[in-house]
Structures are given as C-alpha cells and as structure tokens.
Amino acid sequence: MKKGIILFLTLSVIFTTKSFAQFNLDRALNAGAKAVKAATLSDAEINGYVKEYIDWMDANNPVCEGDDPYAVRLDSITRSINNIDGINIKAYRVVDVNAFACADGSIRVFAGLMDVMTDEELLGVIGHEIGHYMNKDTKDAYRTALLTSALRDGVSAAGGTSAKLSDSQLGDLGEALSSSSFSQKQEREADIYGYEFLKSHGINPWAMALSFKKLKQMQGEMGSQKSSKVQQLFSTHPDLDARIEAMVKRAQADGFECPVKDTEADL
C-alpha cells in the first residue's frame, strides 16, 4: 500500500505525561503565531497549497490513466463536465469506498467506490463532491486543516509568498483533512447540489437515494467491524437515513419514478 493511501485513515493522537513535561512555551507561542498566519492566508495562498497537496496526492497514489478500465469508465461518465469551472476528475486504483474534493476543483474517485456504484449513482456522488467545491466547503475545510497542521509543523508564509510544504507537512495536512468533516448542513446542501446536478444532465436523480442506500447496506453489513476501506466515508457522511428520506421525497415531489423495481418501498 502506498504512502498516500494511509492519509484516509482516521488517526488518534494521544498525549502522554512525558509529552506534557516537555512542553515548550516559546515553541507553543511560535506555533500559535504561525497558526494565526494559516487562518489569515489569502485565497491565492490557499490555492497554492491546494495545488501542492493534490499534486502530492496524485504522485503518491496509483492514478488510473490511459486505457485503464477505471479511467475509461470515468471518462465516459464525466466527459461533459471534466475541465469545466476548474473541475478535474481522476480515479485512484485504491480499494477504499471513497471520493473527495479539493478546493481547486480536483475530484478524486476511488476504484472501490466505482466497483459498487452504477454510472448514474457514481455521477450523483461526483455531483455531491462538486457541490462541496462550488459551495466553498472544501476551501473552508482546507483552511481549517492548514490551521490544525500549523500548530504542529509551522505552515506559514514568508515574505508574502506561500512557503513550500515538505513531505512531512503534506502528510500531516492529509491527516488533518482526513479527520475533518463537513457539517450536516453542508452535507444536505451538497446532496441537493448533486440531485440538481443529475437533473441538469438528464439523469434520474433517484440515483442519489440509491447510492446512499448502498452505503447504508454496506454500513449494516460491516456493523462494528467497519474496515478502513469504508470507515472514513461513513464518518464524514453521517445520518444516511435522513439523507435518503430527503432525496426520496424530493424525487417523488418532482415526479420521478424509482428506476429499480420494488426498491422505492424499501427506502
């Protein structure tokens, strides 16, 4: 497993008595000042760090390219939206059931997610991630992650120019991003964006509810034994029942029929 894949595991940090004993006031004050700098980074500086991060992620994960079946399928699904409004979509040959968006419009879809979703359901998930990008949720999350990692590793800017991040800082930034989550309001708004996104592309928006149903089934099958392959997606996308119900009601109100026979009554 490559280094970058590890970034999607939720990590816990345990402070021991020894670590408190070694607390350094000067270092804490310096880190605090750098954290303030991270909180006040301009959009241009944020964009610079985002580009560094996604370039690093692409270099440290197996990107599906060329005639790779995942790349071919993803291209056929997203050809009409890729490279529009800054959006660029790629697949990672990673078994995790996950997808994520970055503040520069980069959407990364994992092969594990593609394996369990139909084309329509996958496009709904992608629409949801685009919603986080268009609603600037990803930029807010990235700024917060920079702030968190700055407390440990001193993410800062020198002379008004964003300092280049080291591999260690990029790794810590990835940890901060992986353990962050969107609010339920942000998730609901991204769901609505994904729903309308499907409608605007002539696809039955029932796919949103159906994709959530699959995730819920996986959640139930895993029980308390959720593996790292699905844990992160569940931890950052809470309250599936309520979200399924909201998507079903919206589709019914808009007059769409469920495309899967005998499924509507189960939702």
Side-chain angles (χ1 to χ4, degrees), residues 153-186:
D153 291 303
V155 174
S156 63
T161 302
S162 296
K164 185 174 177 61
L165 302 181
S166 67
D167 279 355
S168 175
Q169 288 171 327
L170 285 163
D172 285 345
L173 178 58
E175 291 175 16
L177 286 168
S178 72
S179 60
S180 66
S181 62
F182 296 118
S183 69
Q184 291 199 17
K185 179 176 182 292
Q186 289 172 321

Side-chain angles (χ1 to χ4, degrees), residues 241-256:
D241 285 327
R243 294 169 68 189
I244 291 171
E245 182 181 2
M247 292 296 99
V248 168
K249 287 183 176 178
R250 188 173 287 268
Q252 290 172 334
D254 285 346
F256 288 97

Side-chain angles (χ1 to χ4, degrees), residues 7 23 32 59 81 84 87 115 118 136 144 150 184 198 208 223-224 250 262:
L7 301 180
F23 184 80
I81 57 175
I84 296 176
I87 294 169
D115 286 340
T118 66
K136 300 189 182 303
T144 299
Q184 291 199 17
L198 290 178
M208 291 295 294
S224 61
R250 188 173 287 268
D262 300 326

Side-chain angles (χ1 to χ4, degrees), residues 30-31 34-35 49 146 148-157 163 165 169:
N30 187 44
K34 291 173 180 175
Y49 283 128
L146 275 171
T148 303
S149 60
L151 291 171
R152 289 187 308 227
D153 291 303
V155 174
S156 63
L165 302 181
Q169 288 171 327

Side-chain angles (χ1 to χ4, degrees), residues 4-135:
I5 300 172
I6 301 173
L7 301 180
F8 293 91
L9 306 180
T10 302
L11 303 179
S12 298
V13 180
I14 302 174
F15 294 96
T16 64
T17 302
K18 181 179 179 182
S19 68
F20 278 115
Q22 294 176 336
F23 184 80
N24 183 297
L25 179 60
D26 289 337
R27 179 180 298 176
L29 291 173
N30 187 44
K34 291 173 180 175
V36 171
K37 176 58 186 177
T40 57
L41 286 171
S42 69
D43 282 352
E45 289 173 320
I46 289 288
N47 290 339
Y49 283 128
V50 170
K51 185 179 187 309
E52 272 194 70
Y53 177 71
I54 196 63
D55 286 349
W56 185 79
M57 285 296 295
D58 287 351
N60 284 275
N61 285 281
V63 178
C64 301
E65 299 176 303
D67 59 358
D68 184 292
Y70 288 107
V72 172
R73 181 187 173 200
L74 189 63
D75 179 66
S76 70
I77 297 171
T78 64
R79 188 174 296 125
S80 64
I81 57 175
N82 217 348
N83 301 315
I84 296 176
D85 295 328
I87 294 169
N88 71 91
I89 308 170
K90 295 180 182 180
Y92 287 163
R93 187 176 280 277
V94 177
V95 296
D96 299 48
V97 179
N98 209 348
F100 70 92
C102 283
D104 66 340
S106 297
I107 311 291
R108 297 296 180 263
V109 182
F110 290 25
L113 181 69
M114 296 180 68
D115 286 340
V116 299
M117 296 287 173
T118 66
D119 288 358
E120 294 78 13
E121 292 163 356
L122 185 61
L123 193 58
V125 173
I126 290 171
H128 171 95
E129 295 300 332
I130 292 174
H132 280 310
Y133 162 63
M134 298 298 289
N135 295 337

